Amino acid sequence: MISFAFSEEQQLLRRSIREFLEKELRPVSAETDRDARFPAETIAKMGGAGYLGTIVPEKYGGAGFGKVEYCILMEEIGRVDASVATILGAHSSLGSSALLYYGNEQQKQLYLRQAAAGEKIISFNLSEPEAGSDAKSIKTTAVRDGSCFRISGSKMWATNGREAGIFIVFARTGGRGAEGITAFIVERGAKGLTFGREEDKMGIRGSSTMQLFYDDVVVDGGNVLGGVGNGFKVAMTSLDVGRLSLSAASLGMAGRAIELAISHARRRVQFGRPIGELQAIQFKLADMGMRSRALHYLVYATASRADGLGPNPAEWKRSDREEMTRDCAIAKCSASETASFCVDESLQIHGGIGFTKSSEIERHYRDARIYEIYEGTNEIQRLLIGRDMIGRGWQ
Ligand code: CAA
């Protein structure tokens, strides 16, 4: 038997997260977007409520959520504010996952604990001016110097760059390709780590996106994460989690776009009746509903399959890992395009008012666009999916 129902506990979890976000996040979202301001007070409250450490095992101060529960959290955040989904995505899905799956005991006791408690936010520094989609071509170097490494180079698109206390940075310790890349844990305040331009973005304006410079930053060898030469795997494993969690956030945004469209269609009267009674509007809602419902099953089936394979992807069989990489790419790509479709149709149903700053859908319309770009563009997701289909076939 296949069960697609959430357990009592999962439903309760969703309700309590929604209650928290409606009280603490929704009232500030329009303002933090308008002012391009990091919602520090809300993030602090989320830390206090344990939402910054959900995927971290209890042993390290977290809640020990599986992927299904984590997707519930991300879906609920995505319903309200994509900036916060982005902040949590970089901190938790990327940063905490890297520490959890590849950190040694000492690193987990120190850094993962701080991250889980929300004492320190994580920034994940992979992309560079000349290395975006082609992540293997990073030029930042880490040169061994006795028991330390000296890191030099520049990074781009670093979410949480302005607020982070911990930076997971990827640098080249060896020759070309994936084998020469190593992940490091760098703390804020490290000499030589400086901050460049902050991007002025069209959406997710409540999250910071920074350029970072590593100028001969000395890092102790004990801060190598996952072993020398293993950094590309650290990055890719974390990005699989990130892509799944973004699919849940996109699902939340699609659902919110539908709610807003229904509410507007019930209220707005034209030609003597609510526009929701017109088939032109109902057909739009039906298309949004079909795509969103299909996405719901895709996201949670993928999360549930990941949970079934065991808590640490770094320990999965290679064929299982490859299947999950493909499925996380499928989920991320379909979800971001579904979110874009739904916010676009919802805005159309809103008419002129949807094109103004007074409507919530206007913010989601701008925010949705990034889901098709970051954590691997949808072209990269299609590359991963198609390449796997040709290589391993379709089952
Ligand atoms: N888990 C573990 N290992 C993995 C893996 C995964 N998901 N994916 C690949 N690997 C391993 C491979 O097995 C291979 O190792 P072996 O040779 O030992 O088998 C090695 O890594 C190299 O893999 P590939 O040959 O597949 O590498 P590629 O260069 O052909 O393809 C890519 C890689 C898919 C194009 C990759 O570069 C990619 O995902 N690019 C997009 C980068 C990206 O998503 N950037 C976003 C950065 S985060 C961000 O957006 C900022 C933020 O703050 C939110």
Side-chain angles (χ1 to χ4, degrees):
M1 187 184 88
I2 298 179
S3 169
F4 285 109
F6 290 112
S7 69
E8 287 269 329
E9 291 78 15
Q10 289 164 341
Q11 292 175 45
L12 190 64
L13 176 72
R14 187 186 288 282
R15 280 200 296 276
S16 62
I17 294 171
R18 186 169 294 195
E19 212 171 284
F20 175 89
L21 296 172
E22 290 297 331
K23 181 161 171 269
E24 304 293 348
L25 181 58
R26 189 173 302 287
V28 300
S29 288
E31 186 191 315
T32 50
D33 168 66
R34 188 194 61 213
D35 301 344
R37 180 171 64 78
F38 183 84
E41 312 77 30
T42 311
I43 296 295
K45 283 181 189 164
M46 286 177 72
Y51 292 135
L52 300 187
T54 53
I55 62 165
V56 175
E58 289 171 24
K59 189 177 163 197
Y60 304 109
F65 277 15
K67 299 287 184 298
V68 169
E69 287 76 18
Y70 186 52
C71 282
I72 291 174
L73 173 66
M74 285 300 277
E75 183 186 352
E76 288 301 316
I77 295 174
R79 260 186 90 245
V80 182
D81 192 334
S83 292
V84 174
T86 300
I87 294 164
L88 198 70
H91 169 77
S92 200
S93 319
L94 299 180
S96 300
S97 292
L99 290 170
L100 176 60
Y101 302 141
Y102 289 95
N104 59 35
E105 192 54 28
Q106 213 179 347
Q107 292 168 341
K108 289 192 225 186
Q109 286 297 353
L110 180 60
Y111 298 113
L112 195 55
R113 266 189 182 283
Q114 292 174 337
E119 286 162 20
K120 288 193 180 165
I121 300 290
I122 309 182
S123 179
F124 186 86
N125 306 161
L126 176 63
S127 304
E128 298 182 358
E130 307 300 329
S133 292
D134 184 9
K136 256 198 263 188
S137 69
I138 58 168
K139 292 198 178 78
T140 295
T141 55
V143 179
R144 203 185 274 276
D145 181 4
S147 62
C148 299
F149 286 83
R150 293 178 172 273
I151 303 179
S152 293
S154 69
K155 294 288 176 181
M156 277 196 79
W157 312 124
T159 299
N160 299 335
R162 196 178 48 197
E163 298 80 18
I166 300 168
F167 299 82
I168 308 286
V169 57
F170 297 86
R172 185 160 292 291
T173 41
R176 297 160 66 84
E179 304 76 34
I181 295 174
T182 301
F184 295 88
I185 306 166
V186 175
E187 294 187 52
R188 187 178 203 88
K191 193 161 170 285
L193 171 57
T194 56
F195 303 87
R197 186 183 70 232
E198 178 172 356
E199 305 299 338
D200 184 9
K201 310 186 294 293
M202 72 179 261
I204 54 164
R205 291 173 58 76
S207 67
S208 69
T209 308
M210 302 290 291
Q211 193 174 19
L212 302 177
F213 299 108
Y214 287 82
D215 184 11
D216 204 24
V217 174
V218 179
V219 181
D220 189 84
N223 277 20
V224 166
L225 178 62
V228 173
N230 216 20
F232 196 72
K233 286 199 170 84
V234 176
M236 292 298 123
T237 308
S238 313
L239 279 164
D240 283 345
V241 180
R243 290 165 186 168
L244 177 62
S245 79
L246 282 186
S247 74
S250 304
L251 174 65
M253 180 187 276
R256 180 65 180 168
I258 294 174
E259 279 173 29
L260 292 170
I262 291 173
S263 145
H264 184 80
R266 283 178 176 157
R267 278 197 327 265
R268 173 74 174 157
V269 174
Q270 286 292 276
F271 305 106
R273 52 187 173 152
I275 59 169
E277 289 180 16
L278 304 172
Q279 273 193 343
I281 302 298
Q282 289 176 359
F283 281 8
K284 283 190 187 300
L285 291 174
D287 285 336
M288 292 154 79
M290 284 190 285
R291 294 198 197 190
S292 179
R293 211 68 197 124
L295 180 62
H296 166 91
Y297 290 116
L298 172 61
V299 169
Y300 286 103
T302 308
S304 174
R305 168 92 175 114
D307 281 338
L309 289 174
N312 190 346
E315 291 167 2
W316 293 347
K317 272 195 338 227
R318 186 171 178 124
S319 57
D320 288 335
R321 200 278 295 158
E322 287 174 347
E323 184 188 318
M324 286 315 300
T325 295
R326 180 201 66 196
D327 287 354
C328 291
I330 290 177
K332 190 269 188 190
C333 197
S334 330
S336 53
E337 290 172 9
T338 299
S340 290
F341 173 79
C342 289
V343 291
D344 187 55
E345 287 293 64
S346 181
L347 193 150
Q348 189 68 17
I349 290 172
H350 280 74
I353 203 74
F355 195 63
T356 69
K357 296 278 180 193
S358 66
S359 74
E360 182 185 328
I361 197 67
E362 183 268 346
R363 171 168 57 90
H364 296 306
Y365 184 84
R366 285 182 287 106
D367 286 351
R369 197 62 185 82
I370 193 61
Y371 286 146
E372 295 183 49
I373 297 173
Y374 69 4
E375 298 203 18
T377 62
N378 281 8
E379 287 72 21
I380 289 295
Q381 309 308 320
R382 285 188 163 85
L383 175 152
L384 282 166
I385 299 161
R387 171 166 101 171
D388 183 76
M389 290 169 76
I390 284 292
R392 295 187 318 120
W394 183 246
Q395 58 267 324

